[in-house]
Amino acid sequence: MADDKSKTKQDRKPAAGEEPYDVAAFAKKYGLPPSEAVTIIKRYGPSRKKLDAHMASRNA
């Protein structure tokens, strides 16, 4: 079966800065185990701004 050249869109687009974090993406970005990432997201919510601010203050 030949490739369909009319389908050129990416399967996944990068997450926008305003979209909430996915647990796996957050854990990967900060090198955390998934269980710790889940705990942090539950505590601070999925907002990228809040989570990035928390991690910046945590690492300072």
Side-chain angles (χ1 to χ4, degrees):
M1 186 179 251
D3 289 336
D4 186 353
K5 303 296 182 189
S6 67
K7 296 181 180 178
T8 58
K9 290 186 179 180
Q10 292 179 335
D11 290 340
R12 302 180 109 194
K13 293 181 181 180
E18 298 297 319
E19 291 186 19
Y21 264 124
D22 173 63
V23 173
F26 180 69
K28 183 178 177 182
K29 180 175 181 177
Y30 290 105
L32 302 171
S35 60
E36 186 177 352
V38 167
T39 302
I40 293 170
I41 290 172
K42 281 184 181 179
R43 185 173 200 174
Y44 295 98
S47 167
R48 285 179 179 267
K49 288 181 183 180
K50 287 181 183 177
L51 291 170
D52 288 337
H54 168 70
M55 293 306 290
S57 68
R58 179 178 166 177
N59 294 331

Short mmCIF file of all heavy atoms in Angstrom, two decimals:
data_model
loop_
_atom_site.label_atom_id
_atom_site.label_comp_id
_atom_site.label_asym_id
_atom_site.label_seq_id
_atom_site.Cartn_x
_atom_site.Cartn_y
_atom_site.Cartn_z
N MET A 1 0.85 -1.17 0.00
CA MET A 1 0.00 0.00 0.00
C MET A 1 0.90 1.25 0.00
O MET A 1 1.82 1.35 0.80
CB MET A 1 -0.89 -0.03 1.24
CG MET A 1 -1.90 1.07 1.28
SD MET A 1 -2.90 0.92 2.77
CE MET A 1 -4.41 0.39 2.04
N ALA A 2 0.64 2.17 -0.86
CA ALA A 2 1.45 3.38 -0.98
C ALA A 2 1.06 4.40 0.09
O ALA A 2 -0.06 4.42 0.58
CB ALA A 2 1.26 3.99 -2.36
N ASP A 3 2.04 5.24 0.46
CA ASP A 3 1.77 6.32 1.41
C ASP A 3 0.86 7.35 0.77
O ASP A 3 0.99 7.68 -0.40
CB ASP A 3 3.06 7.01 1.84
CG ASP A 3 3.90 6.14 2.74
OD1 ASP A 3 3.35 5.24 3.39
OD2 ASP A 3 5.13 6.37 2.79
N ASP A 4 -0.05 7.89 1.56
CA ASP A 4 -0.96 8.92 1.09
C ASP A 4 -0.27 10.28 1.27
O ASP A 4 -0.11 10.77 2.38
CB ASP A 4 -2.27 8.88 1.87
CG ASP A 4 -3.31 9.84 1.32
OD1 ASP A 4 -2.98 10.64 0.42
OD2 ASP A 4 -4.46 9.77 1.79
N LYS A 5 0.17 10.89 0.20
CA LYS A 5 0.92 12.14 0.26
C LYS A 5 0.05 13.34 0.64
O LYS A 5 0.57 14.39 0.97
CB LYS A 5 1.58 12.43 -1.09
CG LYS A 5 2.50 11.34 -1.59
CD LYS A 5 3.69 11.17 -0.67
CE LYS A 5 4.60 10.10 -1.23
NZ LYS A 5 5.65 9.70 -0.35
N SER A 6 -1.26 13.18 0.62
CA SER A 6 -2.13 14.29 0.99
C SER A 6 -2.24 14.46 2.51
O SER A 6 -2.68 15.49 2.99
CB SER A 6 -3.53 14.09 0.40
OG SER A 6 -4.16 12.98 1.00
N LYS A 7 -1.82 13.46 3.25
CA LYS A 7 -1.88 13.52 4.71
C LYS A 7 -0.50 13.88 5.25
O LYS A 7 0.33 13.03 5.49
CB LYS A 7 -2.33 12.19 5.28
CG LYS A 7 -3.74 11.83 4.86
CD LYS A 7 -4.18 10.52 5.44
CE LYS A 7 -5.59 10.20 4.99
NZ LYS A 7 -6.04 8.91 5.51
N THR A 8 -0.29 15.19 5.44
CA THR A 8 1.03 15.65 5.86
C THR A 8 1.04 16.26 7.25
O THR A 8 2.09 16.68 7.71
CB THR A 8 1.57 16.69 4.86
OG1 THR A 8 0.65 17.77 4.80
CG2 THR A 8 1.76 16.09 3.48
N LYS A 9 -0.11 16.32 7.94
CA LYS A 9 -0.14 16.90 9.27
C LYS A 9 0.58 15.99 10.26
O LYS A 9 0.62 14.78 10.10
CB LYS A 9 -1.58 17.10 9.75
CG LYS A 9 -2.31 18.18 9.02
CD LYS A 9 -3.67 18.40 9.64
CE LYS A 9 -4.41 19.49 8.94
NZ LYS A 9 -5.72 19.73 9.52
N GLN A 10 1.13 16.62 11.31
CA GLN A 10 1.76 15.85 12.37
C GLN A 10 0.69 15.13 13.18
O GLN A 10 -0.43 15.61 13.32
CB GLN A 10 2.53 16.77 13.30
CG GLN A 10 3.73 17.40 12.68
CD GLN A 10 4.43 18.31 13.68
OE1 GLN A 10 3.83 18.80 14.60
NE2 GLN A 10 5.71 18.52 13.45
N ASP A 11 1.07 14.00 13.74
CA ASP A 11 0.14 13.27 14.60
C ASP A 11 -0.11 14.02 15.90
O ASP A 11 -1.21 14.07 16.40
CB ASP A 11 0.69 11.89 14.93
CG ASP A 11 0.66 10.97 13.72
OD1 ASP A 11 -0.09 11.27 12.78
OD2 ASP A 11 1.39 9.98 13.72
N ARG A 12 0.94 14.62 16.44
CA ARG A 12 0.81 15.33 17.70
C ARG A 12 1.47 16.69 17.58
O ARG A 12 2.58 16.80 17.10
CB ARG A 12 1.48 14.57 18.83
CG ARG A 12 0.94 13.18 18.99
CD ARG A 12 1.64 12.49 20.10
NE ARG A 12 0.66 12.40 21.18
CZ ARG A 12 0.96 12.10 22.41
NH1 ARG A 12 2.17 11.88 22.76
NH2 ARG A 12 0.02 12.03 23.31
N LYS A 13 0.79 17.69 18.06
CA LYS A 13 1.37 19.02 18.08
C LYS A 13 1.97 19.26 19.46
O LYS A 13 1.50 18.70 20.45
CB LYS A 13 0.27 20.07 17.82
CG LYS A 13 -0.29 20.00 16.43
CD LYS A 13 -1.33 21.07 16.24
CE LYS A 13 -1.93 20.98 14.84
NZ LYS A 13 -2.94 22.00 14.61
N PRO A 14 3.01 20.09 19.55
CA PRO A 14 3.54 20.40 20.88
C PRO A 14 2.49 21.11 21.73
O PRO A 14 1.65 21.83 21.21
CB PRO A 14 4.73 21.31 20.60
CG PRO A 14 4.80 21.51 19.14
CD PRO A 14 3.72 20.73 18.49
N ALA A 15 2.55 20.90 23.02
CA ALA A 15 1.58 21.52 23.92
C ALA A 15 1.80 23.01 23.98
O ALA A 15 2.92 23.49 24.04
CB ALA A 15 1.71 20.91 25.31
N ALA A 16 0.74 23.75 23.93
CA ALA A 16 0.81 25.21 24.04
C ALA A 16 1.10 25.59 25.49
O ALA A 16 0.80 24.83 26.41
CB ALA A 16 -0.49 25.83 23.58
N GLY A 17 1.66 26.75 25.69
CA GLY A 17 2.01 27.21 27.03
C GLY A 17 0.83 27.39 27.95
O GLY A 17 0.98 27.36 29.17
N GLU A 18 -0.35 27.54 27.42
CA GLU A 18 -1.54 27.75 28.25
C GLU A 18 -2.27 26.45 28.58
O GLU A 18 -3.14 26.44 29.42
CB GLU A 18 -2.51 28.70 27.54
CG GLU A 18 -1.93 30.08 27.29
CD GLU A 18 -1.60 30.83 28.58
OE1 GLU A 18 -2.39 30.75 29.53
OE2 GLU A 18 -0.55 31.47 28.62
N GLU A 19 -1.93 25.37 27.91
CA GLU A 19 -2.61 24.10 28.15
C GLU A 19 -2.08 23.45 29.42
O GLU A 19 -0.92 23.63 29.78
CB GLU A 19 -2.40 23.16 26.97
CG GLU A 19 -3.13 23.62 25.73
CD GLU A 19 -3.05 22.61 24.61
OE1 GLU A 19 -2.75 21.44 24.87
OE2 GLU A 19 -3.28 23.02 23.47
N PRO A 20 -2.91 22.68 30.12
CA PRO A 20 -2.46 22.03 31.35
C PRO A 20 -1.42 20.96 31.06
O PRO A 20 -1.35 20.41 29.96
CB PRO A 20 -3.74 21.41 31.91
CG PRO A 20 -4.69 21.33 30.80
CD PRO A 20 -4.31 22.41 29.83
N TYR A 21 -0.58 20.70 32.07
CA TYR A 21 0.45 19.67 31.94
C TYR A 21 -0.16 18.28 31.93
O TYR A 21 -1.10 17.99 32.65
CB TYR A 21 1.41 19.72 33.12
CG TYR A 21 2.67 20.50 32.88
CD1 TYR A 21 3.00 21.55 33.71
CD2 TYR A 21 3.54 20.18 31.86
CE1 TYR A 21 4.16 22.28 33.52
CE2 TYR A 21 4.69 20.90 31.65
CZ TYR A 21 5.01 21.94 32.49
OH TYR A 21 6.15 22.65 32.29
N ASP A 22 0.43 17.43 31.16
CA ASP A 22 0.17 16.00 31.19
C ASP A 22 1.15 15.44 32.22
O ASP A 22 2.29 15.91 32.32
CB ASP A 22 0.43 15.42 29.80
CG ASP A 22 0.37 13.93 29.77
OD1 ASP A 22 -0.71 13.38 30.05
OD2 ASP A 22 1.40 13.30 29.45
N VAL A 23 0.77 14.45 33.00
CA VAL A 23 1.63 13.91 34.05
C VAL A 23 2.96 13.42 33.47
O VAL A 23 4.02 13.74 34.01
CB VAL A 23 0.92 12.76 34.80
CG1 VAL A 23 1.87 12.08 35.76
CG2 VAL A 23 -0.30 13.27 35.53
N ALA A 24 2.91 12.70 32.36
CA ALA A 24 4.14 12.17 31.78
C ALA A 24 5.06 13.28 31.30
O ALA A 24 6.28 13.22 31.49
CB ALA A 24 3.80 11.23 30.63
N ALA A 25 4.50 14.32 30.68
CA ALA A 25 5.32 15.43 30.19
C ALA A 25 5.94 16.20 31.35
O ALA A 25 7.11 16.58 31.29
CB ALA A 25 4.47 16.36 29.34
N PHE A 26 5.18 16.42 32.41
CA PHE A 26 5.69 17.13 33.58
C PHE A 26 6.81 16.32 34.24
O PHE A 26 7.87 16.87 34.58
CB PHE A 26 4.55 17.38 34.57
CG PHE A 26 4.97 18.10 35.81
CD1 PHE A 26 5.35 19.43 35.76
CD2 PHE A 26 4.97 17.46 37.04
CE1 PHE A 26 5.74 20.10 36.92
CE2 PHE A 26 5.35 18.12 38.19
CZ PHE A 26 5.73 19.44 38.13
N ALA A 27 6.59 15.04 34.41
CA ALA A 27 7.60 14.17 35.03
C ALA A 27 8.88 14.14 34.20
O ALA A 27 9.98 14.23 34.75
CB ALA A 27 7.04 12.76 35.19
N LYS A 28 8.73 14.05 32.89
CA LYS A 28 9.90 14.01 32.01
C LYS A 28 10.67 15.34 32.04
O LYS A 28 11.90 15.35 32.11
CB LYS A 28 9.47 13.69 30.58
CG LYS A 28 10.62 13.55 29.62
CD LYS A 28 10.13 13.18 28.23
CE LYS A 28 11.30 13.10 27.27
NZ LYS A 28 10.87 12.79 25.91
N LYS A 29 9.95 16.44 32.00
CA LYS A 29 10.59 17.76 31.98
C LYS A 29 11.45 17.99 33.22
O LYS A 29 12.53 18.55 33.13
CB LYS A 29 9.53 18.86 31.87
CG LYS A 29 10.13 20.25 31.84
CD LYS A 29 9.08 21.31 31.61
CE LYS A 29 9.72 22.70 31.57
NZ LYS A 29 8.74 23.73 31.28
N TYR A 30 10.95 17.57 34.37
CA TYR A 30 11.66 17.84 35.62
C TYR A 30 12.39 16.62 36.19
O TYR A 30 12.93 16.68 37.30
CB TYR A 30 10.69 18.42 36.65
CG TYR A 30 10.26 19.81 36.27
CD1 TYR A 30 9.00 20.05 35.75
CD2 TYR A 30 11.13 20.88 36.37
CE1 TYR A 30 8.61 21.32 35.38
CE2 TYR A 30 10.76 22.16 35.99
CZ TYR A 30 9.50 22.37 35.51
OH TYR A 30 9.12 23.63 35.13
N GLY A 31 12.40 15.51 35.46
CA GLY A 31 13.12 14.32 35.89
C GLY A 31 12.56 13.72 37.17
O GLY A 31 13.30 13.28 38.04
N LEU A 32 11.24 13.70 37.27
CA LEU A 32 10.56 13.18 38.46
C LEU A 32 9.98 11.81 38.17
O LEU A 32 9.61 11.50 37.04
CB LEU A 32 9.39 14.10 38.85
CG LEU A 32 9.71 15.55 39.15
CD1 LEU A 32 8.41 16.34 39.29
CD2 LEU A 32 10.52 15.65 40.42
N PRO A 33 9.83 10.99 39.23
CA PRO A 33 9.06 9.76 39.04
C PRO A 33 7.59 10.12 38.84
O PRO A 33 7.12 11.12 39.38
CB PRO A 33 9.26 8.99 40.34
CG PRO A 33 9.98 9.88 41.27
CD PRO A 33 10.42 11.10 40.54
N PRO A 34 6.87 9.36 38.04
CA PRO A 34 5.46 9.68 37.78
C PRO A 34 4.62 9.83 39.04
O PRO A 34 3.74 10.68 39.10
CB PRO A 34 4.97 8.51 36.92
CG PRO A 34 6.20 7.99 36.26
CD PRO A 34 7.32 8.21 37.25
N SER A 35 4.88 9.04 40.07
CA SER A 35 4.09 9.14 41.29
C SER A 35 4.28 10.49 41.97
O SER A 35 3.32 11.07 42.50
CB SER A 35 4.46 8.01 42.26
OG SER A 35 5.83 8.09 42.60
N GLU A 36 5.50 11.02 41.95
CA GLU A 36 5.75 12.35 42.54
C GLU A 36 5.10 13.44 41.69
O GLU A 36 4.54 14.40 42.22
CB GLU A 36 7.24 12.60 42.66
CG GLU A 36 7.57 13.88 43.40
CD GLU A 36 9.06 14.10 43.58
OE1 GLU A 36 9.85 13.20 43.28
OE2 GLU A 36 9.42 15.19 44.03
N ALA A 37 5.15 13.27 40.37
CA ALA A 37 4.51 14.24 39.47
C ALA A 37 3.01 14.29 39.72
O ALA A 37 2.42 15.38 39.76
CB ALA A 37 4.81 13.89 38.02
N VAL A 38 2.38 13.15 39.91
CA VAL A 38 0.94 13.10 40.18
C VAL A 38 0.62 13.84 41.47
O VAL A 38 -0.32 14.63 41.54
CB VAL A 38 0.45 11.64 40.25
CG1 VAL A 38 -0.95 11.55 40.83
CG2 VAL A 38 0.48 11.00 38.89
N THR A 39 1.42 13.62 42.50
CA THR A 39 1.21 14.28 43.79
C THR A 39 1.31 15.80 43.65
O THR A 39 0.47 16.53 44.18
CB THR A 39 2.24 13.78 44.82
OG1 THR A 39 2.12 12.36 44.93
CG2 THR A 39 2.03 14.42 46.18
N ILE A 40 2.31 16.27 42.95
CA ILE A 40 2.51 17.72 42.77
C ILE A 40 1.36 18.32 41.96
O ILE A 40 0.84 19.38 42.31
CB ILE A 40 3.87 18.00 42.11
CG1 ILE A 40 5.00 17.62 43.06
CG2 ILE A 40 3.99 19.47 41.70
CD1 ILE A 40 6.38 17.62 42.44
N ILE A 41 0.96 17.64 40.90
CA ILE A 41 -0.14 18.15 40.06
C ILE A 41 -1.44 18.19 40.85
O ILE A 41 -2.22 19.14 40.74
CB ILE A 41 -0.26 17.34 38.76
CG1 ILE A 41 0.94 17.62 37.86
CG2 ILE A 41 -1.56 17.67 38.02
CD1 ILE A 41 1.04 16.74 36.63
N LYS A 42 -1.70 17.18 41.67
CA LYS A 42 -2.91 17.18 42.50
C LYS A 42 -2.88 18.34 43.49
O LYS A 42 -3.91 18.95 43.77
CB LYS A 42 -3.05 15.86 43.25
CG LYS A 42 -3.58 14.74 42.40
CD LYS A 42 -3.78 13.49 43.23
CE LYS A 42 -4.29 12.35 42.38
NZ LYS A 42 -4.48 11.13 43.17
N ARG A 43 -1.71 18.63 44.03
CA ARG A 43 -1.59 19.68 45.04
C ARG A 43 -1.70 21.09 44.46
O ARG A 43 -2.36 21.95 45.03
CB ARG A 43 -0.27 19.54 45.77
CG ARG A 43 -0.11 20.49 46.90
CD ARG A 43 1.14 20.19 47.66
NE ARG A 43 1.02 20.78 48.98
CZ ARG A 43 1.89 20.62 49.93
NH1 ARG A 43 2.94 19.85 49.72
NH2 ARG A 43 1.74 21.19 51.09
N TYR A 44 -1.07 21.32 43.32
CA TYR A 44 -1.01 22.67 42.74
C TYR A 44 -1.90 22.86 41.53
O TYR A 44 -1.99 23.97 41.01
CB TYR A 44 0.44 23.02 42.37
CG TYR A 44 1.32 23.10 43.59
CD1 TYR A 44 2.11 22.03 43.98
CD2 TYR A 44 1.34 24.25 44.38
CE1 TYR A 44 2.90 22.10 45.11
CE2 TYR A 44 2.13 24.32 45.51
CZ TYR A 44 2.91 23.24 45.87
OH TYR A 44 3.68 23.31 46.99
N GLY A 45 -2.52 21.81 41.04
CA GLY A 45 -3.37 21.91 39.86
C GLY A 45 -2.56 21.73 38.59
O GLY A 45 -1.33 21.73 38.62
N PRO A 46 -3.21 21.59 37.44
CA PRO A 46 -2.50 21.30 36.20
C PRO A 46 -1.97 22.54 35.47
O PRO A 46 -1.40 22.42 34.39
CB PRO A 46 -3.57 20.60 35.35
CG PRO A 46 -4.84 21.20 35.82
CD PRO A 46 -4.65 21.44 37.30
N SER A 47 -2.12 23.72 36.04
CA SER A 47 -1.67 24.95 35.39
C SER A 47 -0.15 24.94 35.19
O SER A 47 0.62 24.76 36.13
CB SER A 47 -2.05 26.17 36.23
OG SER A 47 -1.38 27.31 35.79
N ARG A 48 0.27 25.15 33.94
CA ARG A 48 1.71 25.18 33.65
C ARG A 48 2.42 26.29 34.42
O ARG A 48 3.52 26.10 34.92
CB ARG A 48 1.95 25.37 32.16
CG ARG A 48 1.69 24.14 31.35
CD ARG A 48 1.91 24.39 29.86
NE ARG A 48 1.67 23.18 29.13
CZ ARG A 48 2.63 22.30 28.82
NH1 ARG A 48 3.85 22.54 29.14
NH2 ARG A 48 2.32 21.20 28.18
N LYS A 49 1.79 27.44 34.50
CA LYS A 49 2.41 28.58 35.19
C LYS A 49 2.65 28.25 36.66
O LYS A 49 3.73 28.49 37.20
CB LYS A 49 1.54 29.83 35.07
CG LYS A 49 1.55 30.43 33.69
CD LYS A 49 0.70 31.68 33.64
CE LYS A 49 0.66 32.24 32.23
NZ LYS A 49 -0.14 33.45 32.14
N LYS A 50 1.64 27.71 37.33
CA LYS A 50 1.77 27.38 38.75
C LYS A 50 2.81 26.27 38.97
O LYS A 50 3.62 26.36 39.90
CB LYS A 50 0.42 26.94 39.33
CG LYS A 50 -0.56 28.05 39.50
CD LYS A 50 -1.86 27.54 40.10
CE LYS A 50 -2.87 28.64 40.22
NZ LYS A 50 -4.16 28.13 40.73
N LEU A 51 2.77 25.24 38.14
CA LEU A 51 3.69 24.14 38.32
C LEU A 51 5.14 24.56 38.02
O LEU A 51 6.06 24.18 38.75
CB LEU A 51 3.29 22.95 37.44
CG LEU A 51 2.00 22.26 37.87
CD1 LEU A 51 1.55 21.26 36.83
CD2 LEU A 51 2.19 21.58 39.22
N ASP A 52 5.34 25.35 36.97
CA ASP A 52 6.68 25.82 36.65
C ASP A 52 7.20 26.73 37.76
O ASP A 52 8.37 26.66 38.14
CB ASP A 52 6.70 26.55 35.30
CG ASP A 52 6.54 25.59 34.13
OD1 ASP A 52 6.84 24.38 34.28
OD2 ASP A 52 6.13 26.06 33.05
N ALA A 53 6.33 27.58 38.32
CA ALA A 53 6.72 28.46 39.42
C ALA A 53 7.10 27.63 40.66
O ALA A 53 8.10 27.91 41.33
CB ALA A 53 5.60 29.44 39.75
N HIS A 54 6.30 26.61 40.94
CA HIS A 54 6.60 25.74 42.09
C HIS A 54 7.94 25.05 41.91
O HIS A 54 8.76 25.01 42.83
CB HIS A 54 5.49 24.70 42.27
CG HIS A 54 5.88 23.61 43.24
ND1 HIS A 54 6.02 23.82 44.59
CD2 HIS A 54 6.20 22.31 43.03
CE1 HIS A 54 6.38 22.69 45.17
NE2 HIS A 54 6.50 21.76 44.25
N MET A 55 8.18 24.51 40.73
CA MET A 55 9.44 23.79 40.50
C MET A 55 10.62 24.76 40.52
O MET A 55 11.71 24.39 40.98
CB MET A 55 9.37 23.04 39.17
CG MET A 55 8.36 21.90 39.18
SD MET A 55 8.58 20.70 40.52
CE MET A 55 10.10 19.89 40.02
N ALA A 56 10.44 25.99 40.06
CA ALA A 56 11.52 26.97 40.09
C ALA A 56 11.87 27.32 41.54
O ALA A 56 13.05 27.42 41.89
CB ALA A 56 11.11 28.22 39.32
N SER A 57 10.85 27.50 42.38
CA SER A 57 11.12 27.82 43.78
C SER A 57 11.69 26.62 44.53
O SER A 57 12.49 26.77 45.45
CB SER A 57 9.84 28.32 44.47
OG SER A 57 8.90 27.27 44.59
N ARG A 58 11.30 25.45 44.12
CA ARG A 58 11.80 24.22 44.75
C ARG A 58 13.27 24.01 44.45
O ARG A 58 14.02 23.53 45.29
CB ARG A 58 10.98 23.05 44.21
CG ARG A 58 11.36 21.71 44.74
CD ARG A 58 10.44 20.67 44.19
NE ARG A 58 10.99 19.36 44.41
CZ ARG A 58 10.41 18.24 44.10
NH1 ARG A 58 9.23 18.25 43.51
NH2 ARG A 58 10.96 17.08 44.33
N ASN A 59 13.69 24.37 43.25
CA ASN A 59 15.07 24.18 42.83
C ASN A 59 15.97 25.35 43.18
O ASN A 59 17.16 25.29 42.96
CB ASN A 59 15.13 23.91 41.32
CG ASN A 59 14.47 22.60 40.96
OD1 ASN A 59 14.44 21.67 41.76
ND2 ASN A 59 13.95 22.51 39.77
N ALA A 60 15.40 26.41 43.71
CA ALA A 60 16.20 27.61 44.03
C ALA A 60 16.96 27.45 45.33
O ALA A 60 16.76 26.67 46.14
CB ALA A 60 15.30 28.83 44.11
#
